[in-house]
Amino acid sequence: KSGKDSVVNLEKPPEKKEPFVIQQEGKFRNRWDCIIFCVVVFILITVPLRIGFDIRAWKPWLAPDYLTDLLLVVDIVICSMTTYEVDGEMVKDRKLIWQNYLKGLFFFDLASVLPLDFIWIWLPSYTPWLRANRLIRVIRFPYYFSQWEKVTSLKPSVIRIFKSTFVILGLAHVIGCGFFLVIIIEGMMDETNGNKDFTGTDNILDKPLASKYIRAFYWSFVTMTGYNNTNPHTQLETIFSIVVTMVGISLFATIIGTVGSLVTNLDSSALYFRQKMDGINDYMKYKRIPQDLQNEVRNYYTYLWKSGKGLDKNKVLDDLPPYLKTKMSVILNSEIIKKVPLFQQCKDDTDFINEIVKCLKPRVCLPNSFIVRKGEVGNEMFFISRGELNVVSEDDKVVFTLKDGGFFGEIALLYDTKRTASIVARTYCDMFVLTKEDFKKVMKKFPVQSKGIKEIAKERFQSIVDAEKKKEEEKNADEQEREGENEASNAEQENGVRNEEESMDKKDEE
């Protein structure tokens, strides 16, 4: 060992930068999927149309074809950098992402962008069949719809109805294009007849493109449902008609059944509400509840259903794990807690605010119902989520109106005081209640914060006591003043009586 002091290098090793990846459900990927979805829809419309109606002109399609090909190639690159999930964990390793993509849809995506268009250089003329490989991208539709269900707030039933409608229209379009392709093939095979009876329309090959497509689309729809007599003459026409009818009937039977059940379950809360109301009405009739009370109970449940779609707000979040339940409650109620002067010193303490929020209990009040009455001993604090409350005086005059975001009763959490005013619901009110017992439990968990809260509460309580004393003193002063006035008036009356008596005595003496 050398006599010199050894020098220890305390510098941190350079951190490895994570490779650039794209989040699977990030905003960029979701927007990009929307763009590629539109591109694939464009391919689904144009490629069968050009093949089925034998559209051989290529110059008008040059720009859109190159643009869609470019976007599909870029999509392959983006897919190779997009994370994926395994057992709830997001995989961000580029090598594992690439291996996962190779095992999945990579080769299908690659086959869909092969530049077969250049083969027409060795062909006598251009044929739209060279772009048929682009239709391979159609297998991506289930992925796009599943991602849409994850990121949208729409009901899954609505998305499935849209998906079923999309499948019907897409299949009808492809079958209609195939129908006209059969007409063209049969016309080429027999130019003298043309087998025009297959469509039920004469000279269809001579009509404009729009008329041809409308007729073909109509034929595909009615044939898929099995209600059209296609009148096939050749073996190809007969086989095509049989296949279309079998596919169409199977598809429509499946989709109609699915859509029917989806429409029925679109608003399951309405069905639940009707069943619950039937039970409540039967119970009230059996118990012979007065009609006025029955109407009040029905109004209460009707409001619950309209405001919360029949969901029990105490149980909506029960299935969530505790940390998600806490996050939801904090987002919904933390702002209203921070507005309370009693909690001003702790508004930046997220742990304390979260604990208070977890203690809140929902409550619904009907119009014209008393929330608190003057003179009652309070043990709850109220937070107004929605609705209006009137603070009324002893002679039922409205002194003040509390609205959304308001609160009252905070002193009752620390002191056994009486309510200083009566509060009546002006409208239907959604409120949250914090009880004294729950608040004391929170104070025990946060002793430091409790000291500041007690000081503020003491000041507010003292101000309330002083205000009450001042009112009492003013009341007593008024009463003393009235008593003084009464005594003075009585003294005047007595003096008047004495004067009259004295005058009467003098008259009698005279």
Side-chain angles (χ1 to χ4, degrees), residues 218-242:
Y218 166 77
W219 182 93
S220 66
F221 251 111
V222 294
T223 305
M224 286 168 64
T225 56
Y227 292 109
N228 185 32
N229 183 12
T230 56
N231 194 22
H233 287 273
T234 66
Q235 188 174 1
L236 178 60
E237 293 173 355
T238 305
I239 294 172
F240 184 75
S241 299
I242 292 172

Side-chain angles (χ1 to χ4, degrees), residues 271-509:
L271 178 61
Y272 168 76
F273 172 74
R274 287 193 294 269
Q275 293 174 347
K276 187 170 185 176
M277 286 304 300
D278 289 341
I280 292 171
N281 289 328
D282 292 341
Y283 174 80
M284 291 191 295
K285 288 179 181 179
Y286 174 73
K287 292 294 184 179
R288 297 180 181 178
I289 304 297
Q291 190 63 40
D292 294 341
L293 184 55
Q294 289 188 32
N295 294 335
E296 193 171 349
V297 171
R298 278 192 286 267
N299 291 338
Y300 173 79
Y301 280 106
T302 301
Y303 172 74
L304 281 184
W305 178 68
K306 287 182 178 179
S307 61
K309 288 297 182 184
L311 296 174
D312 187 348
K313 296 177 183 177
N314 294 316
K315 299 180 180 178
V316 171
L317 307 179
D318 282 353
D319 294 335
L320 294 177
Y323 76 96
L324 280 182
K325 190 186 298 184
T326 302
K327 281 186 177 180
M328 289 285 290
S329 300
V330 168
I331 290 174
L332 292 173
N333 305 312
S334 61
E335 291 302 320
I336 196 172
I337 298 294
K338 294 177 182 178
K339 293 179 182 178
V340 181
L342 198 63
F343 305 140
Q344 281 296 311
Q345 293 183 352
C346 310
K347 65 180 181 179
D348 296 328
D349 190 338
T350 55
D351 294 334
F352 178 79
I353 297 296
N354 292 352
E355 199 67 28
I356 292 289
V357 168
K358 287 192 289 185
C359 295
L360 297 180
K361 298 174 183 177
R363 183 176 296 180
V364 176
C365 293
L366 299 177
N368 301 320
S369 61
F370 276 86
I371 312 302
V372 297
R373 294 180 183 271
K374 184 177 180 179
E376 293 178 345
V377 178
N379 57 6
E380 294 174 329
M381 181 181 179
F382 297 85
F383 302 89
I384 305 170
S385 175
R386 183 172 65 177
E388 295 183 1
L389 302 171
N390 287 335
V391 181
V392 297
S393 59
E394 293 180 356
D395 53 354
D396 294 333
K397 290 184 179 179
V398 177
V399 180
F400 186 73
T401 300
L402 298 168
K403 298 183 179 180
D404 298 359
F407 55 88
F408 59 93
E410 63 270 25
I411 301 301
L413 296 176
L414 291 170
Y415 295 95
D416 294 327
T417 59
K418 294 182 179 181
R419 302 293 188 186
T420 58
S422 297
I423 298 180
V424 183
R426 182 174 176 270
T427 62
Y428 286 100
C429 294
D430 293 335
M431 298 187 296
F432 290 95
V433 178
L434 177 62
T435 63
K436 182 182 292 187
E437 294 180 1
D438 291 335
F439 184 69
K440 286 182 178 179
K441 293 177 182 177
V442 176
M443 297 285 277
K444 289 180 181 179
K445 292 182 180 179
F446 297 90
V448 177
Q449 291 84 344
S450 65
K451 291 181 181 179
I453 291 173
K454 287 178 180 178
E455 291 177 1
I456 297 174
K458 186 177 181 180
E459 294 176 0
R460 290 179 60 82
F461 178 69
Q462 190 61 42
S463 64
I464 292 174
V465 172
D466 293 341
E468 288 294 325
K469 284 183 179 180
K470 188 176 181 180
K471 287 182 180 179
E472 287 293 332
E473 291 175 356
E474 291 177 354
K475 187 177 179 180
N476 293 333
D478 292 339
E479 289 179 355
Q480 290 177 0
E481 186 177 351
R482 288 173 186 173
E483 289 178 358
E485 292 176 355
N486 292 334
E487 290 176 357
S489 62
N490 292 333
E492 290 178 358
Q493 290 177 0
E494 291 177 357
N495 291 332
V497 171
R498 288 176 184 174
N499 293 332
E500 289 180 359
E501 289 177 352
E502 289 177 357
S503 62
M504 290 293 292
D505 291 340
K506 287 180 180 180
K507 288 180 181 180
D508 292 339
E509 290 176 357

Side-chain angles (χ1 to χ4, degrees), residues 150-202:
K150 291 180 182 178
V151 300
T152 186
S153 59
L154 291 175
K155 290 186 176 182
S157 301
V158 176
I159 298 176
R160 289 169 192 162
I161 291 174
F162 175 80
K163 183 165 58 175
S164 301
T165 306
F166 179 82
V167 170
I168 292 174
L169 293 177
L171 189 60
H173 169 74
V174 173
I175 290 176
C177 296
F179 158 77
F180 205 83
L181 179 63
V182 172
I183 293 296
I184 293 175
I185 294 174
E186 291 297 320
M188 292 177 180
M189 293 174 62
D190 187 0
E191 294 181 357
T192 59
N193 184 15
N195 297 309
K196 298 180 179 64
D197 289 339
F198 184 42
T199 65
T201 303
D202 295 334

Side-chain angles (χ1 to χ4, degrees), residues 33-62:
D33 286 341
C34 290
I35 295 173
I36 298 301
F37 177 82
C38 295
V39 170
V40 179
V41 170
F42 175 78
I43 292 172
L44 180 63
I45 294 172
T46 57
V47 172
L49 183 71
R50 293 163 68 180
I51 294 174
F53 290 84
D54 197 27
I55 301 174
R56 294 179 176 270
W58 58 273
K59 289 184 179 180
W61 298 93
L62 192 61

Side-chain angles (χ1 to χ4, degrees), residues 13-28:
E15 296 181 356
K16 293 183 179 180
K17 292 184 178 181
E18 292 186 359
F20 174 75
V21 292
I22 299 171
Q23 296 297 326
Q24 184 181 25
E25 297 179 6
K27 290 184 179 179
F28 172 78

Side-chain angles (χ1 to χ4, degrees), residues 37-190:
F37 177 82
C38 295
V39 170
V40 179
V41 170
F42 175 78
I43 292 172
L44 180 63
I45 294 172
T46 57
V47 172
L49 183 71
R50 293 163 68 180
I51 294 174
F53 290 84
D54 197 27
I55 301 174
R56 294 179 176 270
W58 58 273
K59 289 184 179 180
W61 298 93
L62 192 61
D65 285 349
Y66 283 165
L67 179 61
T68 54
D69 290 349
L70 176 62
L71 291 173
L72 293 180
V73 171
V74 174
D75 184 57
I76 293 177
V77 177
I78 290 177
C79 289
S80 66
M81 295 189 294
T82 302
T83 61
Y84 67 96
E85 188 177 341
V86 177
D87 296 331
E89 183 180 358
M90 200 63 66
V91 178
K92 297 182 180 180
D93 185 84
R94 287 286 294 275
K95 184 178 180 181
L96 294 177
I97 292 173
W98 179 247
Q99 291 176 354
N100 181 67
Y101 187 35
L102 285 176
K103 295 176 183 178
L105 298 175
F106 170 74
F107 292 104
F108 293 97
D109 293 345
L110 182 63
S112 67
V113 294
L114 292 177
L116 302 180
D117 307 56
F118 294 103
I119 297 178
W120 77 277
I121 298 175
W122 294 278
L123 297 177
S125 61
Y126 176 80
T127 174
W129 281 96
L130 296 175
R131 293 195 62 81
N133 63 317
R134 304 298 186 273
L135 291 173
I136 298 175
R137 276 288 177 141
V138 172
I139 63 175
R140 281 275 186 177
F141 279 133
Y143 163 78
Y144 297 135
F145 282 112
S146 64
Q147 290 297 110
W148 190 17
E149 289 185 11
K150 291 180 182 178
V151 300
T152 186
S153 59
L154 291 175
K155 290 186 176 182
S157 301
V158 176
I159 298 176
R160 289 169 192 162
I161 291 174
F162 175 80
K163 183 165 58 175
S164 301
T165 306
F166 179 82
V167 170
I168 292 174
L169 293 177
L171 189 60
H173 169 74
V174 173
I175 290 176
C177 296
F179 158 77
F180 205 83
L181 179 63
V182 172
I183 293 296
I184 293 175
I185 294 174
E186 291 297 320
M188 292 177 180
M189 293 174 62
D190 187 0

